[in-house]
Amino acid sequence: MPFKPTEFSFEDRAVEFPHGVVLTMRPANSIDVDQAQAESSRAIREMILSRNALTIYGVPQSLIDHDLRLGPEEEGDDETDEEQFVADRFRNFLGLSSFIASVLLFEQLVTQWENVAGEDDEPLAINRTTIGRFLLHPDMKKKFDSVAYSVQFAVREEGNGSAVSQPGSGEAEDDTAKAAKS
């Protein structure tokens, strides 16, 4: 069955998440995704200059200090394979970029949440820090991304509805306007 853009509504709807959480949100459009990815890139740049910049996205300082290891090796580390270190660092940056983009999309797409409380059982306000901590909880980012990117996933699965022509076959010319003659 071909993809029909009208099957998607960009209006807010209640979406059930694990642990009884309910988010009122809409799926992302291409503009939302582009903006989140661009701002995520800027955040990664800031992070390279100051790792503490990640705290506004809810990344705990302990994770920044110990597990990410974004800087040069410390004395006494057993890490001797520089290529492995670079590969791990690159994966960390890609993961952080995806995480930050999700936090930024969340800000744009979610209008309210239910059953999200702090340690004192008081409801939490929606801000970058609480969003980041929410998305760090197991399964929450995966579920959020599946809803937020649902339109993009569907378009990718369906393509644009046209069969791909072989390079140089000339098949594409039949579907395009002919050149104007003077």
Side-chain angles (χ1 to χ4, degrees):
M1 173 186 322
F3 168 72
K4 295 181 177 86
T6 56
E7 293 175 8
F8 291 96
S9 170
F10 287 99
E11 295 178 12
D12 286 355
R13 62 186 173 98
V15 180
E16 293 183 20
F17 275 66
H19 309 288
V21 172
V22 177
L23 300 184
T24 303
M25 63 179 292
R26 64 176 173 82
N29 59 41
S30 60
I31 295 170
D32 296 325
V33 172
D34 288 346
Q35 288 175 340
Q37 289 175 343
E39 192 169 338
S40 175
S41 297
R42 286 189 293 276
I44 292 294
R45 180 184 177 280
E46 288 175 25
M47 183 200 65
I48 291 169
L49 300 175
S50 168
R51 293 187 333 188
N52 292 333
L54 286 176
T55 59
I56 67 168
Y57 295 96
V59 178
Q61 190 66 41
S62 60
L63 182 65
I64 294 168
D65 290 341
H66 301 291
D67 296 331
L68 293 179
R69 298 173 63 187
L70 299 173
E73 290 298 313
E74 297 175 15
E75 275 188 53
D77 281 351
D78 294 329
E79 184 75 29
T80 57
D81 185 358
E82 188 173 331
E83 288 181 1
Q84 183 62 45
F85 173 73
V86 171
D88 289 346
R89 186 175 183 190
F90 186 68
R91 277 192 296 278
N92 288 336
F93 280 129
L94 290 178
L96 283 171
S97 180
S98 171
F99 173 76
I100 292 170
S102 291
V103 170
L104 296 168
L105 270 177
F106 195 106
E107 279 184 323
Q108 295 178 60
L109 306 178
V110 176
T111 56
Q112 70 180 41
W113 58 15
E114 298 172 23
N115 304 321
V116 179
E119 291 178 11
D120 57 0
D121 289 329
E122 290 296 318
L124 291 176
I126 298 177
N127 59 49
R128 282 190 181 170
T129 302
T130 57
I131 293 168
R133 290 193 177 142
F134 174 81
L135 292 176
L136 284 173
H137 194 279
D139 302 323
M140 294 304 187
K141 182 181 179 306
K142 183 178 179 181
K143 174 68 176 180
F144 173 76
D145 286 352
S146 73
V147 176
Y149 291 102
S150 60
V151 174
Q152 288 76 19
F153 293 152
V155 170
R156 184 178 62 207
E157 288 295 315
E158 292 292 327
N160 65 5
S162 302
V164 177
S165 60
Q166 295 298 318
S169 68
E171 293 173 10
E173 288 182 28
D174 294 338
D175 294 335
T176 58
K178 303 294 182 205
K181 296 181 182 179
S182 51

